[in-house]
Amino acid sequence: TASHAYTHICNNGLEAHGLFGSYLVSMFLECGSLSMAQVVFNKASYHNEYSWTCLIQGYIGEGDPEHSLSLFWRMLETRVRPSKYTYVAVLTICARLSCIERGFQIHAAIVKEGFDEELFVARSVVDFYAKCGLISEAQMLFDKLSSRESHFFNSIDARNIDPEMDKTSVADSENVQGGLPRGAAIFVYNLKACCSVRDLQSGRELHLEILKEGFDVYTTVCNTLIDMYAKCGSIYEAFRVLLKMSNRDV
């Protein structure tokens, strides 16, 4: 277990080692213990990008975006270079807190680093603009993303941009992912993005939309929901989805 591993590492005097510290921070977050992750982080002799990002994601998952943002500024002060995963996590924070100017700065940094070529990063940028009400900017980036890759890998449901779009036509159009309707596939993609940044709250909101649209009848959607909840540390909610599934695969 996590506690046994931690005890073993402490008994060998390795809890302050940066490498072990990063591993333990991630381990405790996976086990749903943010408090212990913070304790280990504080004891570590140094922090790398991975441990900083894990902790930032941990506080996002706990519904404390303000603290996550303060951790990001502390990370920059220590001259640790953010990764694409760090930037995606911070964009999630900016969207949630409506920190538009900060979001602009993060977007500029993403472009400078070349991370905007990554699909899941591009999805987060579009999502930030859309959630902050900057619909024209979101539409422009949405179109660029669609032209670069298959339009089925959209970061946000097109219905959020064009309220007049016919829901039936969206749901009926086929997707390359296992024959899922396009709308269901978009939810699957968004849930996977939530997994990448451990954003439990956004995952829950997507779950509610999935239920509303009736996409919970698809095994692929349910499996992705289970994976999202499990990776975000909510095993109970993952188990509830499993129990409600009509068809369970391996």
Side-chain angles (χ1 to χ4, degrees):
T1 64
S3 58
H4 288 157
Y6 181 56
T7 300
H8 180 73
I9 290 173
C10 288
N11 289 340
N12 287 276
L14 297 172
E15 72 273 16
H17 191 282
L19 180 61
F20 283 104
S22 297
Y23 165 73
L24 288 168
V25 168
S26 175
M27 181 181 67
F28 278 116
L29 287 173
E30 289 285 348
C31 294
S33 181
L34 177 60
S35 59
M36 280 303 301
Q38 182 69 71
V39 168
V40 172
F41 183 87
N42 293 341
K43 287 184 178 180
S45 57
Y46 75 91
H47 309 110
N48 56 22
E49 168 275 324
Y50 181 71
S51 60
W52 277 110
T53 303
C54 284
L55 201 60
I56 289 169
Q57 292 171 343
Y59 278 99
I60 293 174
E62 287 294 310
D64 192 353
E66 291 88 354
H67 191 69
S68 292
L69 194 57
S70 69
L71 284 172
F72 176 68
W73 301 132
R74 284 173 53 195
M75 176 184 180
L76 295 182
E77 289 171 1
T78 62
R79 299 187 181 279
V80 175
R81 187 177 180 179
S83 70
K84 56 190 175 184
Y85 301 103
T86 315
Y87 284 126
V88 167
V90 176
L91 270 182
T92 300
I93 299 168
C94 292
R96 192 167 296 179
L97 298 177
S98 296
C99 296
I100 297 177
E101 290 300 323
R102 295 295 189 191
F104 289 162
Q105 294 172 9
I106 299 301
H107 185 193
I110 286 172
V111 173
K112 182 179 180 181
E113 295 285 351
F115 293 147
D116 56 323
E117 294 301 315
E118 298 275 357
L119 272 177
F120 82 98
V121 178
R123 175 262 173 206
S124 297
V125 174
V126 178
D127 195 49
F128 159 73
Y129 282 105
K131 287 183 176 178
C132 289
L134 302 172
I135 303 303
S136 60
E137 290 85 350
Q139 181 71 68
M140 180 183 67
L141 293 168
F142 178 88
D143 292 340
K144 286 183 179 180
L145 182 60
S146 297
S147 63
R148 198 174 75 213
E149 295 290 342
S150 169
H151 69 281
F152 297 119
F153 293 102
N154 297 327
S155 65
I156 55 173
D157 192 329
R159 286 166 292 173
N160 292 331
I161 293 178
D162 184 5
E164 300 303 318
M165 182 175 288
D166 178 43
K167 290 187 177 182
T168 303
S169 63
V170 171
D172 287 343
S173 58
E174 291 185 350
N175 188 301
V176 293
Q177 281 194 10
L180 285 177
R182 179 188 175 196
I186 289 173
F187 278 116
V188 167
Y189 184 71
N190 288 346
L191 285 170
K192 289 181 178 179
C194 290
C195 286
S196 70
V197 296
R198 302 296 190 268
D199 188 354
L200 179 59
Q201 184 55 40
S202 292
R204 285 170 173 160
E205 292 172 3
L206 287 171
H207 190 180
L208 290 176
E209 290 297 319
I210 286 169
L211 294 175
K212 187 185 300 182
E213 297 289 341
F215 291 143
D216 56 319
V217 299
Y218 296 100
T219 301
T220 301
V221 174
C222 291
N223 286 340
T224 309
L225 276 168
I226 292 169
D227 189 50
M228 182 277 297
Y229 280 124
K231 289 182 176 177
C232 290
S234 183
I235 303 302
Y236 173 71
E237 288 174 284
F239 189 60
R240 286 186 61 187
V241 175
L242 178 63
L243 290 178
K244 291 181 179 180
M245 287 179 64
S246 57
N247 296 311
R248 302 173 190 172
D249 56 18
V250 177

